[in-house]
């Protein structure tokens, strides 16, 4: 069901953990299934020098979180803000259609954490786009 | 270890079915000699099934599976009694074959009561009695639940139904072949079962209909099954179902005893080695093979993926694996908060599982849960 990249990032997630005294933190919940992602940023001169995450969720959510942290590490805040969930999905060699919503957790987590950093530094928060209302595919029943 | 989802066809069963694909292919409705033979084998299969559940052969109707049997029972009884009344009583933890049919009937103007269960998944028979109205025409309560394994007090519910002259249907899909069933002792008027849950073929089921029960047809067409269920008989399927049920009932006492022992060792082992875990369902009144445990702070689909890498198949009530918005309706109905329903793991043992399988799971699960907890933002840390 999942690509090799997804399984790799799921079984060996990169950048797991917490950062003490982070410069920005974002915690987001996925209203579709109730999963949670927390992301911690360490920022120097507008560059994300370190990032860590914790995720409670499915394989796709964990893999997306891991990949997203890889994608934003070393990037400027501006570059990190521009990373979409589609970019995360592409970097993972795709996700099953019913799992694409899980990658939104990563995008929104990054936005939340960056805005948290901006607020701490007396900058106005950037507008966060809410895109979680997309309907996942129809239910598959448990047997 | 996902025997509640489906089971492999036993070799003896496949062997019994084989001739009916090729040399003995006669259409039972034809008049040739080969057709007579087909009719005979259907009738002897019917008798085998009847004996297994304490019914008469002419009360057994072959269907395409548990889903069709459930649909037929609900829609057929509701429609046949529409003049008398329209109210249906069922439970909140039924399989979707019942629940989605009930919801459809509701849209057609049949009010449905979905009775709640307690936190071990048991229905209070008294609540059934209280829910009965003058217009109730059917009570449908499952014998045993597919997710948490809880077994209901079918006999008590059946006799309440009979006291009120209301037909009683039970979805025994998970129970048949695994625990003793008697439509006579348990006052059951309609009963669904499905072959692939007891090492028979998929796409093959039975609806038992007590003589005299008013029920409309679901499928219209040819005159098979005494004009009550149209469609050319699935001859190999019928033989497979009957053979599998016969073997399951013959070996039931011995097998269920062994499986129950494995189950209890698995439950005790998991609860002991994994902190923040709890058993879902009833501690004793549960299917011999059912284990359902919730692990706090982790999500079920990720547990399944890691178990799969260890070669262990399992299932979960997590929303993430259902593809729908919500975690299992059964786990919510027993009062689990979303987070705990998310972290549920169902392992179902069956024919062929061994002590070694239990060891494998007991070795794998604690590490998997620990690994996922280390990633989880909810985990407060190891027990001090
Ligand atoms: C309790 C219950 N009822 C009905 C069904 C449906 O049976 P089938 O798969 O034969 O349609 C199942 C299993 O899928 C079940 O567990
Ligand atoms: S996070 Fe729940 S389905 Fe992926």
């Amino acid at each position: 069901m999942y690509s090799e990249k997804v399984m790799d990032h799921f079984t060996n997630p990169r950048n797991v953990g917490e950062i003490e005294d982070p410069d920005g933190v974002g915690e987001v919940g996925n209203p579709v299934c109730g999963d949670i992602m927390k992301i911690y940023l360490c920022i120097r001169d507008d560059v994300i020098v370190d990032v860590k995450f914790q995720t409670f969720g499915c394989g796709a959510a964990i893999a997306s979180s891991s990949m997203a942290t890889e994608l934003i590490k070393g990037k400027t805040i501006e570059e990190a803000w521009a990373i979409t969930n589609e970019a995360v999905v592409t970097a993972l060699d795709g996700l099953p259609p019913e799992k694409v919503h899980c990658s939104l957790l990563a995008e929104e987590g990054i936005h939340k954490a960056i805005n948290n950093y901006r607020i701490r530094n007396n900058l106005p928060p950037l507008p966060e786009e809410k895109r979680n209302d997309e309907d996942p595919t129809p239910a598959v029943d448990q047997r | 270890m996902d025997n509640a989802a489906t089971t492999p066809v036993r070799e003896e069963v496949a062997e019994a079915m084989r001739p009916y694909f090729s040399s003995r292919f006669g259409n039972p409705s034809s008049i040739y000699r080969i057709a007579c033979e087909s009719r005979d084998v259907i009738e002897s299969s019917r008798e085998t099934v009847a004996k297994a559940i304490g019914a008469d052969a002419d009360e057994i109707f072959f269907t395409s599976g548990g889903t069709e049997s459930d649909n037929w029972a609900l829609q057929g009884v509701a429609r046949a009694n529409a003049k008398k009344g329209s109210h249906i009583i069922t439970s909140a933890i039924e399989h979707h074959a019942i629940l989605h049919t009930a919801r459809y009937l509701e849209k057609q103007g049949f009010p449905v009561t979905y009775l709640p269960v307690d936190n071990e998944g048991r229905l209070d028979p008294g609540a059934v009695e209280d829910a009965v109205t003058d217009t109730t025409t059917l009570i449908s309560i499952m014998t045993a639940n597919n997710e948490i394994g809880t077994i209901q007090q079918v006999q008590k519910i059946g006799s309440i139904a009979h006291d009120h002259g209301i037909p009683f249907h039970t979805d025994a899909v998970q129970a048949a072949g695994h625990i003793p069933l008697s439509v006579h002792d348990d006052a059951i008027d309609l009963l669904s079962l499905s072959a692939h849950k007891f090492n028979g073929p998929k796409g093959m089921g039975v609806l038992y209909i007590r003589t005299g029960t008013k029920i409309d047809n679901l499928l219209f067409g040819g005159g098979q099954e005494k004009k009550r269920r149209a469609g050319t008989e699935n001859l190999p399927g019928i033989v497979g179902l009957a053979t599998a049920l016969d073997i399951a009932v013959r070996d039931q006492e011995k097998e269920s005893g062994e499986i129950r022992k494995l189950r209890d060792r698995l439950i005790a082992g998991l609860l002991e080695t994994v902190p923040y875990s709890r058993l879902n369902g009833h501690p004793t009144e549960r299917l011999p093979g059912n284990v359902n445990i919730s692990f706090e702070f982790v999500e079920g689909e990720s547990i399944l993926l890691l178990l799969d890498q260890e070669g262990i198949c399992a299932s979960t009530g997590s929303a993430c694996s259902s593809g729908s918005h919500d975690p299992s309706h059964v786990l919510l109905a027993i009062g689990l908060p979303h987070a705990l329903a998310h972290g549920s793991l169902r392992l179902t043992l069956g024919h062929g599982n061994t002590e070694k399988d239990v060891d494998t799971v007991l070795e794998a699960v604690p590490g998997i849960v620990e690994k996922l907890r280390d990633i989880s933002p909810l985990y407060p840390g190891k027990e001090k």
Side-chain angles (χ1 to χ4, degrees), chain B residues 125-266:
Chain B
V128 177
E129 178 107 54
D130 295 343
V132 169
T133 70
D134 293 345
T135 60
T136 307
T137 56
L138 177 65
I139 296 173
S140 177
I141 305 291
M142 72 200 317
T143 307
N145 184 268
N146 45 308
E147 293 185 42
I148 54 173
T150 301
I151 299 169
Q152 301 299 340
Q153 294 161 277
V154 172
Q155 196 244 328
K156 281 196 185 148
I157 299 166
S159 62
I160 289 169
H162 280 199
D163 288 349
H164 292 273
I166 300 166
F168 173 48
H169 167 254
T170 189
D171 175 342
V173 167
Q174 290 289 333
H178 303 290
I179 58 172
L181 290 175
S182 164
V183 292
H184 183 262
D185 297 352
D186 294 344
I188 296 165
D189 298 303
L190 304 114
L191 176 146
S192 305
L193 58 84
S194 174
H196 74 105
K197 307 288 185 179
F198 48 81
N199 302 99
K202 302 188 205 322
M204 193 62 226
V206 158
L207 182 63
Y208 153 80
I209 306 175
R210 183 186 291 273
T211 304
T213 305
K214 271 176 75 184
I215 179 167
D216 278 8
N217 289 358
L218 182 70
L219 300 182
F220 299 91
Q224 292 88 354
E225 299 292 280
K226 296 188 289 295
K227 299 204 177 70
R228 297 177 76 175
R229 197 278 184 182
T232 300
E233 297 86 343
N234 176 353
L235 198 51
I238 289 170
V239 172
L241 180 144
T243 311
L245 188 58
D246 199 30
I247 296 172
V249 170
R250 183 193 71 197
D251 298 347
Q252 193 174 87
E253 230 183 271
K254 185 169 159 287
E255 270 226 334
S256 66
E258 287 166 9
I259 289 174
R260 210 173 268 126
K261 257 193 243 147
L262 295 179
R263 173 197 76 187
D264 290 341
R265 190 158 81 82
L266 191 49

Side-chain angles (χ1 to χ4, degrees), chain B residues 323-336:
Chain B
S324 79
H325 299 256
D326 298 308
S328 141
H329 65 284
V330 177
L331 297 179
L332 297 182
I334 61 170
L336 285 199

